[in-house]
Amino acid sequence: MTKFGAGKMNVDPEALHKKYLLERDKRLRSDGTAQYIDMVGELAAYAADPYLGPDVDRAPATEQVDVLIVGGGVSGLLLAARLRHATNGTLRIIEKGGDFGGTWYWNRYPGLRCDVESYIYMPLLEELGNIPTEKYATGQEIFFHCRALASHFGLYADTFLRTAVTAARWNADSARWLVETNRGDRLEAKFLCLGTGGLSLPKLPGIKGILDFKGRAFHTSRWDYDYTGGSPRGDLVGLRGKRVALIGTGATSIQCLPALAESAQEVIVFQRTPPAVDFRNNKPTDPDWASALQPGWQKDRMVNFSSILQGLPVEENLVADRWTDIWTTLAGMGGGEGEDDGTDPMQLADYKKMEELRSRIDAVVDDPRVAERLKPYYNLFCKRPLFSDEFLQTFNRSNVTLIDTDGRGVDRITETSVIVGADEYPVDCIVFATGFRVGVPCYEAGGFRVVGRDGIDLSNRWADGVRTLHGIHVHGFPNLFIVGSRTHAALSPNFTHFVDEQSDHIAQIVARCLDEHIRTVEVLEAAEDMWAQMMAAVAVDRATFYEECTPSYLNNEGATDRPSYFGAAYHAGLLAYVDVCNEWRKTGFERDLDIVHEPQLSLHERPGELRC
Ligand code: NDP
């Protein structure tokens, strides 16, 4: 047995490897991703939008536009903003929710924050003259920023809110996309952009008896403030005297637990797998720092962050957060000094990092038995790294009980209780912090069929695997652009940086098509092949890593027959992806697209179009 030291951290790689596999095996299930159930049928009420005011009647629309964007989340919003800069073309946005924001519209649970620094996460701060109030902004502040962006770019007038697309079909004769909605709209669009989101489908665990529960139950992305009282800031007065079950201990759970514990009589946390939680170190924005910022500061900061994550040299780590720390200690590699008995240096660094997080639990949680149950035994990137300054501390409260199911999960729900093994826990309310269907294709996230040239359905086109150019264009689907999907595109914890760059790229392509009176553009199959080869050339093989991981959405809950969430991306880094797109607009546009021009018409001669 070899022990490696890093400061005060001692690890035994062999023992940890065995322990990690043992913990994984406890959690592997034959039903994999099928253990989760969608909010449909008898569970449809879970998906209802709790934030809507009274409905506003509007007549079904029949119109033609240049660009139709499905989704008013961060992707649709940024694409619309970039289009506003790039073209005078007409625009229509269709959004299911009652406002812009996507994830930030739906998720309003108390304690919600983004754990990517607000100065690089909240997009277009300089354009809006906005400075976030804290290093890690609340969900509410980000949601308000999304609304401010929509107002700033005049998008409300061009948007159908509370409207869901039900079908999109390419019409070759008119060279338009025909789009229908659940409000009877029939829209024709020259260009269709799908920004249907990565976290749009909340999921429930298929726990036996879930329908039997007679108390109040809801998913964190549909927070029931009518019942809990209070607001995203907490003070959930409706929970006074109530016993609350919190099911799940992922990114969402660790944020809402502290607020639940402050208001409820008792919170019982049902844990299947312990989360790996580092500190976050939030702080208010320093006004002197903010007032000294020079024009262009936000882009510089975003690029600085992404450079570090891509392993590029930087003079200074401007963001200096836990993400950049993880990347420099783990991905920068080696875990530093120490003898080597053949253990991969990255793995060694991971063991040490996780040991550090386990020690932190001992330091923060008073009861050693509770601390032991909260310790995660898997590699850090088997799940999304988490950061909180309050989660672990909450277990020191007398009204918070941890029920560790040792990997099994909750066994059953009855009319009144949550059951684990032989123990019954009567509760008034169940909060499901059980996540989303992550990594689903854009048509599935949107919940409608996308039918391209020759009647090909996108789901059929991708039946044997996704094929795209840059994660944006698909052969057989003229004038279609996918925005904000990481599949075949760049990975970055700073999602908005990726989407902003991709939106800028798509907006420039659309603007060029409109300017040059291009009727249709369709990517060639050869270009999809070329992109597959380019992705393969930089692919990092993490198959064994994910096979050995504890189950999560990142490894399809342990199923190894499909590529992992990260496996289907371009691995060279976000800035490399941006370089590829920039270069492609200069040299690839005409090479890789089948381009058909239309007879030139002046703008006022184009029939039936709205101008904005
Ligand atoms: P997750 O998928 O991360 O967590 C779901 C939780 O539910 C897990 O702890 C899971 O256990 C548990 N669970 C599932 N089934 C059962 C069961 N039968 N019994 C008991 N527990 C069960 O969902 P989240 O909503 O927490 O996060 C989803 C994603 O949303 C994140 O990965 C992140 O991308 C994003 N997010 C980002 C935030 C940020 O920026 N701060 C905040 C919140 C979310 P197990 O681990 O065993 O599967």
Side-chain angles (χ1 to χ4, degrees), residues 1-5 10-13 339:
M1 175 201 301
T2 313
K3 287 201 174 190
F4 294 102
N10 278 319
V11 293
D12 177 345
E339 328 83 290

Side-chain angles (χ1 to χ4, degrees), residues 162-438:
R162 303 163 81 138
T163 305
V165 169
T166 50
R169 173 179 286 273
W170 174 250
N171 181 334
D173 296 335
S174 62
R176 303 259 163 174
W177 281 94
L178 305 182
V179 175
E180 292 172 20
T181 76
N182 62 349
R183 287 183 172 248
D185 306 307
R186 287 185 58 82
L187 312 169
E188 292 187 27
K190 198 164 179 183
F191 298 99
L192 176 66
C193 304
L194 301 180
T196 47
L199 298 170
S200 8
L201 299 176
K203 63 187 192 209
L204 291 168
I207 299 171
K208 216 170 135 198
I210 189 170
L211 277 164
D212 298 340
F213 187 62
K214 295 273 185 278
R216 204 72 165 226
F218 55 88
H219 187 272
T220 44
S221 68
R222 305 288 189 274
W223 195 271
D224 188 349
Y225 283 106
D226 281 350
Y227 176 74
T228 67
S231 72
R233 297 195 167 276
D235 197 20
L236 310 172
V237 290
L239 294 182
R240 285 189 191 143
K242 300 278 196 301
R243 279 163 65 91
V244 178
L246 177 60
I247 298 186
T249 47
T252 299
S253 171
I254 70 158
Q255 293 193 336
C256 68
L257 173 64
L260 284 172
E262 264 175 34
S263 299
Q265 178 187 314
E266 187 181 356
V267 184
I268 308 170
V269 183
F270 293 91
Q271 171 180 273
R272 190 166 68 176
T273 307
V277 188
D278 209 340
F279 65 85
R280 182 168 48 196
N281 220 0
N282 195 14
K283 53 186 179 203
T285 300
D286 175 356
D288 293 337
W289 168 80
S291 60
L293 291 168
Q294 298 299 312
W297 70 268
Q298 190 181 27
K299 183 75 182 246
D300 290 348
R301 203 171 174 91
M302 289 159 99
V303 169
N304 178 272
F305 178 83
S306 294
S307 299
I308 292 170
L309 269 51
Q310 202 173 301
L312 299 173
V314 292
E315 276 179 21
E316 191 188 349
N317 179 351
L318 294 173
V319 174
D321 65 347
R322 302 318 290 159
W323 289 109
T324 50
D325 175 73
I326 292 168
W327 247 267
T328 44
T329 48
L330 291 194
M333 275 331 108
E337 78 299 332
E339 328 83 290
D340 191 349
D341 72 340
T343 304
D344 168 38
M346 182 172 171
Q347 179 60 71
L348 185 58
D350 200 311
Y351 286 144
K352 289 176 181 172
K353 179 73 205 172
M354 290 299 284
E355 194 61 22
E356 185 188 307
L357 297 186
R358 288 188 287 266
S359 304
R360 180 170 175 259
I361 297 169
D362 285 327
V364 174
V365 177
D366 296 341
D367 183 336
R369 285 164 310 168
V370 176
E372 212 46 44
R373 289 179 201 133
L374 281 167
K375 287 184 183 169
Y377 286 94
Y378 46 80
N379 279 324
L380 183 64
F381 284 101
C382 287
K383 289 185 176 280
R384 186 179 193 276
L386 306 178
F387 316 103
S388 169
D389 302 329
E390 296 104 24
F391 171 71
L392 292 171
Q393 291 79 349
T394 307
F395 288 96
N396 294 333
R397 296 179 65 113
S398 58
N399 68 333
V400 174
T401 308
L402 175 70
I403 302 301
D404 178 36
T405 65
D406 197 23
R408 274 199 343 270
V410 166
D411 288 315
R412 199 153 54 87
I413 292 174
T414 67
E415 286 191 8
T416 54
S417 305
V418 175
I419 311 274
V420 175
D423 299 319
E424 175 167 356
Y425 302 90
V427 290
D428 300 291
C429 169
I430 301 177
V431 178
F432 289 102
T434 46
F436 304 85
R437 285 177 56 203
V438 181

Side-chain angles (χ1 to χ4, degrees), residues 49-52 97-100 102-112 139-140 143-144 147 219-225 231-234 236 256:
D49 186 340
Y51 317 120
L52 290 177
D99 212 326
F100 284 91
T103 285
W104 303 107
Y105 170 84
W106 293 104
N107 287 279
R108 302 188 190 191
Y109 58 81
L112 170 63
Q140 203 172 26
F143 176 42
F144 289 163
R147 292 167 56 178
H219 187 272
T220 44
S221 68
R222 305 288 189 274
W223 195 271
D224 188 349
Y225 283 106
S231 72
R233 297 195 167 276
L236 310 172
C256 68

